[in-house]
Short mmCIF file of all heavy atoms in Angstrom, two decimals:
data_model
loop_
_atom_site.label_atom_id
_atom_site.label_comp_id
_atom_site.label_asym_id
_atom_site.label_seq_id
_atom_site.Cartn_x
_atom_site.Cartn_y
_atom_site.Cartn_z
N ALA A 41 -0.15 -0.03 8.60
CA ALA A 41 -1.14 -0.25 7.55
C ALA A 41 -2.53 -0.34 8.14
O ALA A 41 -3.51 0.14 7.56
CB ALA A 41 -0.80 -1.53 6.78
N SER A 42 -2.66 -0.96 9.31
CA SER A 42 -3.96 -1.04 9.97
C SER A 42 -4.47 0.35 10.32
O SER A 42 -5.67 0.64 10.19
CB SER A 42 -3.85 -1.90 11.23
OG SER A 42 -3.50 -3.24 10.91
N SER A 43 -3.56 1.21 10.75
CA SER A 43 -3.95 2.60 11.05
C SER A 43 -4.39 3.32 9.79
O SER A 43 -5.32 4.13 9.81
CB SER A 43 -2.79 3.33 11.71
OG SER A 43 -2.44 2.73 12.94
N GLU A 44 -3.69 3.04 8.67
CA GLU A 44 -4.10 3.64 7.40
C GLU A 44 -5.51 3.20 7.02
O GLU A 44 -6.33 4.01 6.56
CB GLU A 44 -3.10 3.25 6.30
CG GLU A 44 -1.72 3.88 6.46
CD GLU A 44 -0.70 3.28 5.50
OE1 GLU A 44 -1.07 2.42 4.69
OE2 GLU A 44 0.49 3.69 5.57
N MET A 45 -5.82 1.91 7.23
CA MET A 45 -7.15 1.39 6.93
C MET A 45 -8.20 2.06 7.82
O MET A 45 -9.28 2.43 7.37
CB MET A 45 -7.20 -0.12 7.17
CG MET A 45 -6.35 -0.95 6.23
SD MET A 45 -6.88 -0.89 4.51
CE MET A 45 -5.72 0.32 3.88
N GLU A 46 -7.86 2.23 9.10
CA GLU A 46 -8.79 2.85 10.03
C GLU A 46 -9.04 4.31 9.64
O GLU A 46 -10.17 4.81 9.75
CB GLU A 46 -8.24 2.76 11.45
CG GLU A 46 -9.24 3.14 12.52
CD GLU A 46 -8.72 2.84 13.92
OE1 GLU A 46 -7.59 2.32 14.05
OE2 GLU A 46 -9.46 3.12 14.88
N GLY A 47 -8.00 4.99 9.17
CA GLY A 47 -8.16 6.36 8.74
C GLY A 47 -9.04 6.48 7.51
O GLY A 47 -9.76 7.47 7.33
N LEU A 48 -9.00 5.47 6.64
CA LEU A 48 -9.79 5.50 5.41
C LEU A 48 -11.25 5.14 5.65
O LEU A 48 -12.16 5.75 5.09
CB LEU A 48 -9.20 4.53 4.38
CG LEU A 48 -7.92 4.97 3.66
CD1 LEU A 48 -7.32 3.79 2.92
CD2 LEU A 48 -8.22 6.11 2.70
N PHE A 49 -11.47 4.13 6.51
CA PHE A 49 -12.83 3.59 6.65
C PHE A 49 -13.48 3.88 7.99
O PHE A 49 -14.62 3.49 8.22
CB PHE A 49 -12.78 2.07 6.42
CG PHE A 49 -12.23 1.68 5.08
CD1 PHE A 49 -11.00 1.05 4.97
CD2 PHE A 49 -12.93 1.97 3.91
CE1 PHE A 49 -10.48 0.70 3.72
CE2 PHE A 49 -12.41 1.62 2.67
CZ PHE A 49 -11.19 1.00 2.57
N GLY A 50 -12.73 4.56 8.88
CA GLY A 50 -13.33 4.91 10.16
C GLY A 50 -13.37 3.78 11.16
O GLY A 50 -13.82 3.95 12.28
N GLN A 51 -12.90 2.62 10.77
CA GLN A 51 -12.84 1.48 11.64
C GLN A 51 -11.77 0.54 11.11
O GLN A 51 -11.36 0.64 9.96
CB GLN A 51 -14.17 0.74 11.70
CG GLN A 51 -14.66 0.25 10.33
CD GLN A 51 -16.01 -0.41 10.39
OE1 GLN A 51 -16.59 -0.55 11.45
NE2 GLN A 51 -16.51 -0.83 9.25
N LYS A 52 -11.31 -0.37 11.95
CA LYS A 52 -10.31 -1.32 11.50
C LYS A 52 -10.92 -2.28 10.50
O LYS A 52 -11.89 -2.97 10.80
CB LYS A 52 -9.72 -2.09 12.69
CG LYS A 52 -8.81 -1.23 13.56
CD LYS A 52 -8.08 -2.06 14.59
CE LYS A 52 -7.10 -1.19 15.39
NZ LYS A 52 -6.36 -1.96 16.40
N ALA A 53 -10.38 -2.29 9.30
CA ALA A 53 -10.90 -3.17 8.25
C ALA A 53 -10.50 -4.61 8.54
O ALA A 53 -9.53 -4.89 9.24
CB ALA A 53 -10.37 -2.73 6.89
N ALA A 54 -11.27 -5.52 7.97
CA ALA A 54 -11.07 -6.95 8.25
C ALA A 54 -9.96 -7.54 7.39
O ALA A 54 -10.20 -8.44 6.58
CB ALA A 54 -12.37 -7.70 8.04
N PHE A 55 -8.73 -7.01 7.53
CA PHE A 55 -7.58 -7.55 6.82
C PHE A 55 -6.52 -7.86 7.86
O PHE A 55 -6.09 -6.98 8.60
CB PHE A 55 -7.04 -6.56 5.79
CG PHE A 55 -8.06 -6.19 4.74
CD1 PHE A 55 -8.77 -5.01 4.82
CD2 PHE A 55 -8.32 -7.05 3.68
CE1 PHE A 55 -9.71 -4.67 3.86
CE2 PHE A 55 -9.26 -6.72 2.71
CZ PHE A 55 -9.95 -5.53 2.81
N GLU A 56 -6.09 -9.13 7.92
CA GLU A 56 -5.17 -9.55 8.97
C GLU A 56 -3.79 -8.92 8.81
O GLU A 56 -3.18 -8.51 9.79
CB GLU A 56 -5.06 -11.08 8.98
CG GLU A 56 -6.32 -11.78 9.49
CD GLU A 56 -6.09 -13.26 9.67
OE1 GLU A 56 -4.92 -13.70 9.52
OE2 GLU A 56 -7.05 -13.99 9.94
N THR A 57 -3.31 -8.87 7.60
CA THR A 57 -1.94 -8.38 7.39
C THR A 57 -1.89 -7.37 6.24
O THR A 57 -1.25 -7.62 5.22
CB THR A 57 -0.98 -9.54 7.10
OG1 THR A 57 -1.47 -10.26 5.95
CG2 THR A 57 -0.88 -10.47 8.28
N PRO A 58 -2.57 -6.23 6.37
CA PRO A 58 -2.47 -5.22 5.30
C PRO A 58 -1.04 -4.70 5.20
O PRO A 58 -0.30 -4.68 6.18
CB PRO A 58 -3.44 -4.13 5.76
CG PRO A 58 -3.47 -4.26 7.26
CD PRO A 58 -3.33 -5.73 7.53
N LYS A 59 -0.66 -4.29 3.99
CA LYS A 59 0.70 -3.80 3.77
C LYS A 59 0.71 -2.27 3.80
O LYS A 59 -0.18 -1.63 3.22
CB LYS A 59 1.23 -4.30 2.42
CG LYS A 59 1.31 -5.83 2.34
CD LYS A 59 2.22 -6.40 3.42
CE LYS A 59 2.30 -7.92 3.38
NZ LYS A 59 1.14 -8.57 3.98
N PRO A 60 1.68 -1.66 4.48
CA PRO A 60 1.74 -0.19 4.54
C PRO A 60 2.06 0.41 3.18
O PRO A 60 2.76 -0.19 2.35
CB PRO A 60 2.87 0.06 5.54
CG PRO A 60 3.71 -1.18 5.51
CD PRO A 60 2.77 -2.31 5.23
N GLU A 61 1.54 1.62 2.95
CA GLU A 61 1.73 2.25 1.64
C GLU A 61 3.20 2.51 1.33
O GLU A 61 3.62 2.45 0.18
CB GLU A 61 0.93 3.54 1.57
CG GLU A 61 -0.57 3.33 1.46
CD GLU A 61 -1.31 4.53 0.91
OE1 GLU A 61 -0.65 5.51 0.49
OE2 GLU A 61 -2.56 4.50 0.89
N PHE A 62 4.01 2.79 2.35
CA PHE A 62 5.42 3.09 2.07
C PHE A 62 6.19 1.85 1.62
O PHE A 62 7.20 1.97 0.93
CB PHE A 62 6.08 3.74 3.29
CG PHE A 62 5.82 5.21 3.39
CD1 PHE A 62 4.81 5.70 4.19
CD2 PHE A 62 6.56 6.11 2.63
CE1 PHE A 62 4.55 7.06 4.27
CE2 PHE A 62 6.31 7.47 2.69
CZ PHE A 62 5.30 7.95 3.52
N LEU A 63 5.73 0.67 2.00
CA LEU A 63 6.35 -0.56 1.47
C LEU A 63 6.11 -0.65 -0.02
O LEU A 63 7.04 -0.90 -0.80
CB LEU A 63 5.78 -1.78 2.18
CG LEU A 63 6.19 -3.14 1.61
CD1 LEU A 63 7.70 -3.35 1.75
CD2 LEU A 63 5.42 -4.27 2.29
N LEU A 64 4.85 -0.45 -0.45
CA LEU A 64 4.55 -0.49 -1.89
C LEU A 64 5.21 0.65 -2.62
O LEU A 64 5.63 0.51 -3.78
CB LEU A 64 3.04 -0.46 -2.10
CG LEU A 64 2.31 -1.80 -2.11
CD1 LEU A 64 2.84 -2.69 -3.23
CD2 LEU A 64 2.42 -2.54 -0.78
N ASN A 65 5.33 1.79 -1.96
CA ASN A 65 5.99 2.94 -2.57
C ASN A 65 7.43 2.61 -2.94
O ASN A 65 7.90 2.95 -4.04
CB ASN A 65 5.95 4.13 -1.61
CG ASN A 65 6.75 5.33 -2.09
OD1 ASN A 65 7.85 5.57 -1.60
ND2 ASN A 65 6.21 6.07 -3.03
N ARG A 66 8.14 1.93 -2.05
CA ARG A 66 9.54 1.58 -2.35
C ARG A 66 9.62 0.58 -3.49
O ARG A 66 10.43 0.72 -4.41
CB ARG A 66 10.23 1.02 -1.11
CG ARG A 66 11.66 0.55 -1.41
CD ARG A 66 12.45 0.31 -0.16
NE ARG A 66 12.67 1.55 0.57
CZ ARG A 66 13.33 1.62 1.73
NH1 ARG A 66 13.82 0.51 2.29
NH2 ARG A 66 13.48 2.77 2.34
N ILE A 67 8.77 -0.45 -3.44
CA ILE A 67 8.80 -1.47 -4.49
C ILE A 67 8.50 -0.86 -5.85
O ILE A 67 9.20 -1.09 -6.84
CB ILE A 67 7.80 -2.59 -4.17
CG1 ILE A 67 8.29 -3.38 -2.95
CG2 ILE A 67 7.60 -3.52 -5.36
CD1 ILE A 67 7.28 -4.38 -2.42
N ILE A 68 7.43 -0.05 -5.92
CA ILE A 68 7.02 0.55 -7.19
C ILE A 68 8.05 1.55 -7.67
O ILE A 68 8.32 1.65 -8.88
CB ILE A 68 5.63 1.20 -7.04
CG1 ILE A 68 4.58 0.10 -6.80
CG2 ILE A 68 5.26 2.02 -8.26
CD1 ILE A 68 3.21 0.63 -6.43
N HIS A 69 8.69 2.27 -6.74
CA HIS A 69 9.75 3.22 -7.15
C HIS A 69 10.93 2.48 -7.76
O HIS A 69 11.46 2.89 -8.80
CB HIS A 69 10.23 4.02 -5.94
CG HIS A 69 11.52 4.76 -6.19
ND1 HIS A 69 11.58 5.92 -6.92
CD2 HIS A 69 12.80 4.46 -5.84
CE1 HIS A 69 12.84 6.32 -7.00
NE2 HIS A 69 13.60 5.45 -6.36
N ILE A 70 11.36 1.39 -7.13
CA ILE A 70 12.51 0.64 -7.64
C ILE A 70 12.19 0.00 -8.99
O ILE A 70 12.99 0.05 -9.92
CB ILE A 70 12.93 -0.45 -6.62
CG1 ILE A 70 13.50 0.19 -5.35
CG2 ILE A 70 13.95 -1.40 -7.25
CD1 ILE A 70 13.78 -0.81 -4.24
N ALA A 71 11.00 -0.59 -9.11
CA ALA A 71 10.70 -1.46 -10.25
C ALA A 71 10.10 -0.77 -11.45
O ALA A 71 10.10 -1.34 -12.55
CB ALA A 71 9.76 -2.58 -9.80
N THR A 72 9.61 0.47 -11.30
CA THR A 72 8.86 1.10 -12.39
C THR A 72 9.19 2.57 -12.53
O THR A 72 9.84 3.18 -11.66
CB THR A 72 7.34 0.97 -12.17
OG1 THR A 72 6.96 1.80 -11.05
CG2 THR A 72 6.93 -0.46 -11.89
N ASN A 73 8.69 3.13 -13.62
CA ASN A 73 8.74 4.57 -13.88
C ASN A 73 7.32 5.05 -14.16
O ASN A 73 6.42 4.24 -14.43
CB ASN A 73 9.65 4.87 -15.07
CG ASN A 73 11.11 4.56 -14.77
OD1 ASN A 73 11.68 5.06 -13.80
ND2 ASN A 73 11.72 3.70 -15.59
N PRO A 74 7.08 6.36 -14.08
CA PRO A 74 5.74 6.87 -14.37
C PRO A 74 5.19 6.32 -15.68
O PRO A 74 5.89 6.21 -16.67
CB PRO A 74 5.95 8.39 -14.42
CG PRO A 74 7.07 8.62 -13.46
CD PRO A 74 8.00 7.45 -13.66
N ASP A 75 3.92 5.95 -15.65
CA ASP A 75 3.17 5.42 -16.78
C ASP A 75 3.41 3.93 -17.02
O ASP A 75 2.77 3.33 -17.88
CB ASP A 75 3.43 6.20 -18.07
CG ASP A 75 2.22 6.23 -18.98
OD1 ASP A 75 1.09 6.30 -18.45
OD2 ASP A 75 2.38 6.17 -20.21
N ASP A 76 4.33 3.31 -16.28
CA ASP A 76 4.49 1.86 -16.36
C ASP A 76 3.26 1.18 -15.76
O ASP A 76 2.51 1.78 -14.99
CB ASP A 76 5.75 1.40 -15.63
CG ASP A 76 7.01 1.62 -16.44
OD1 ASP A 76 6.90 1.77 -17.66
OD2 ASP A 76 8.11 1.65 -15.85
N LEU A 77 3.09 -0.11 -16.09
CA LEU A 77 1.92 -0.87 -15.66
C LEU A 77 2.26 -1.79 -14.49
O LEU A 77 3.20 -2.57 -14.56
CB LEU A 77 1.37 -1.69 -16.83
CG LEU A 77 0.10 -2.50 -16.60
CD1 LEU A 77 -1.05 -1.61 -16.15
CD2 LEU A 77 -0.27 -3.26 -17.87
N VAL A 78 1.47 -1.67 -13.41
CA VAL A 78 1.66 -2.46 -12.19
C VAL A 78 0.45 -3.37 -12.02
O VAL A 78 -0.69 -2.93 -12.20
CB VAL A 78 1.81 -1.54 -10.96
CG1 VAL A 78 1.95 -2.37 -9.68
CG2 VAL A 78 3.00 -0.60 -11.12
N LEU A 79 0.68 -4.63 -11.66
CA LEU A 79 -0.39 -5.61 -11.49
C LEU A 79 -0.34 -6.23 -10.10
O LEU A 79 0.73 -6.57 -9.61
CB LEU A 79 -0.26 -6.71 -12.55
CG LEU A 79 -1.12 -7.97 -12.37
CD1 LEU A 79 -2.60 -7.66 -12.52
CD2 LEU A 79 -0.69 -9.06 -13.35
#
């Protein structure tokens, strides 16, 4: 996730424990379907 942040902003963002996108991808895939609302 830190590498993802660095790729987006060109430097390591000031987040101690960012979550990788594939972790959220699994959670959102299991819990929702397209057009559902995520908070």
Side-chain angles (χ1 to χ4, degrees):
S42 297
S43 298
E44 291 170 2
M45 294 295 99
E46 191 172 359
L48 285 168
F49 302 111
Q51 58 183 358
K52 288 189 176 180
F55 300 100
E56 290 188 7
T57 57
K59 299 301 179 281
E61 288 200 7
F62 278 97
L63 172 64
L64 272 299
N65 174 257
R66 176 166 294 179
I67 291 172
I68 293 172
H69 166 77
I70 292 173
T72 70
N73 293 305
D75 212 36
D76 281 341
L77 183 58
V78 178
L79 168 66

